[in-house]
Amino acid sequence: MERLRRWLDEVEGRPYGAYKRLAGRYRMAGFTLAIDHVQSDPFAAPSRVALELPMATARLDEGWWRTPVRRLALEDYLARRVAAVIARVVRGHRGSGRSGEVAILPCGQEVLQRNSVIVTPEGVEARITVGLPAAGRRCLGREAAAILLDELPVVAGEALTAAALERAAVERHLDTVEDHQALQAWLQAARLVAFVADDSLLPRASGIDDHPLGSGALPFRAPDTLAREVELPHAGRVRGLAIPAGVTLIVGGGFHGKSTLLKALERGVYPHGPGDGREQVATDPTAVKVRAEDGRAVSAVDIRPFIDRLPLGRDCARFTTDNGSGSTSQAASIVEALAMGCGCLLIDEDTSATNFMIRDGRMQRLVARAQEPITPLLHRVRELYETYGISTVVVMGGSGDYFEVADTVIQIEAYRPADVTETAHALAGHAVADAVADLPPLTREASRRPDPATLSPAAGRKPVKIAARGRDRLLYGTHEVDLSRVEQLVETAQVRCIGHLIHYYATHHGDAPTLTDGLAALFADIEAHGLDPLTPYREGTLALPRPHEVAACLNRMRGVTWIA
Ligand code: ADP
Ligand code: MG
């Protein structure tokens, strides 16, 4: 520590490059400050720094990290805590460029596996970035000392030692995540696809703000006929809406809360922390939201179950396009999701192609089957469940065609769900039964994989170029992938992680017989070794997505060759 203070004194006023010699490890009071990488100028990406505390100092209860799920939740809690302490004690901007900026990877509303805070039996480490301060391009060594020797010790002490943590808050966070895991396990045992506890708060602050809608949100309340009770390890007995396996239809007037419920189900694949409002919303972890995606690239996907006989003899068995339509993109997304082992499709009329969703009796009489290449989901949704056990939850306020194929019909009226299954069945027609006689076969194709040789992350002279441009865009080598309509991706850090996962997949598991197998092997590696093997040096910028989202990204990459 004295050595560091002396060096910081010496660099004062010198050209920025003088900071380079700071790289190294320093023993501070109660922790080690590791300066892993020093930025080359004040405008570049800030320097990478880690705060390492031995467990003897951090003294985090063993019960907080004993099981994988509790450790993940603890790491998530501590990452949020580091961000909060930084916001309170770090002065921030001091000098030119990004001088004085201290940051940890930001966390959204979901609890995810990240590599910004790592807890092991030996200790805890937080990986942060520090903009070493400069005036113009000259070192401000004394300002740097204020950050490294005054501010960071407070961050280490207040965010990462049990003595400074509010025990009840830590335990509430861990218990909440563990309850969510128990809910997901129960869903499977009880043959349900989703559960929404009473008193959940589903609406969000706005379309661009994922925090709960403050006052004015009507708490959720399940109708008696669809309610179940479950015993959770920490929350005890909880009542809520249990959506059974099968085909579930959500109906109701416009602006009554249908999409809000479906969105909560989409996010229910992840745990949420206390105060989010969706803590006890859980969905089949393999559930996939599929939507129409005009303009999306599709590569060698067998879309015949939904679309065959396209004009000009286009190949529907290995359908390829740079510019998919609403219906072809939605068909491809479903086929791809099924190949990845999706157990439940989540679909909203707001983001679907109408001709993919339904074809009513009158239209069937006018346009003969021979002239219509599209088999609407309506005609396949029962078969999907009965043959493959794949459930569907579909929001559809504008057509009663799905009454005939739905096992459960939920009406949302002024944000309140009601069970209208019986009434809907009484009104159901017979158009579907008549139409499903001569459909093309429904096969669950799973044999594609990308040629790993076409997944190079190199760009120009850089052997590896992987970067996220926000939540919506991945740069991977010379590829640029639009992920804006992969709706279950929630953080930029997941997008960045997908880039590294694809690189790792291509180099380690690209020869597995199918993409699904290769991604399973990839995720087994992550489970065993964490996220660190993905990057050449220590960093804290990744959050783990699901295999489904990694596949979704690969499936949207242009210029990749697929081997069947
Ligand atoms: P729909 O899909 O039925 O047209 P939305 O789900 O888009 O309706 O919801 C319409 C509006 O109602 C949104 O602004 C949403 O935030 C709000 N909303 C949804 N659920 C609730 C609720 N439980 N309490 C208060 N507002 C809600
Ligand atoms: Mg809607």
Side-chain angles (χ1 to χ4, degrees), residues 508-530:
H508 293 74
H509 300 296
D511 292 337
T514 69
L515 173 61
T516 315
D517 296 331
L519 291 183
L522 166 67
F523 274 74
D525 284 358
I526 301 293
E527 195 172 327
H529 307 295

Side-chain angles (χ1 to χ4, degrees), residues 453-478:
T454 60
L455 291 175
S456 162
R461 278 188 316 210
K462 277 192 169 175
V464 177
K465 183 185 171 206
I466 294 171
R469 287 284 171 272
R471 213 288 315 173
D472 288 351
R473 204 160 280 277
L474 173 69
L475 305 184
Y476 181 90
T478 56

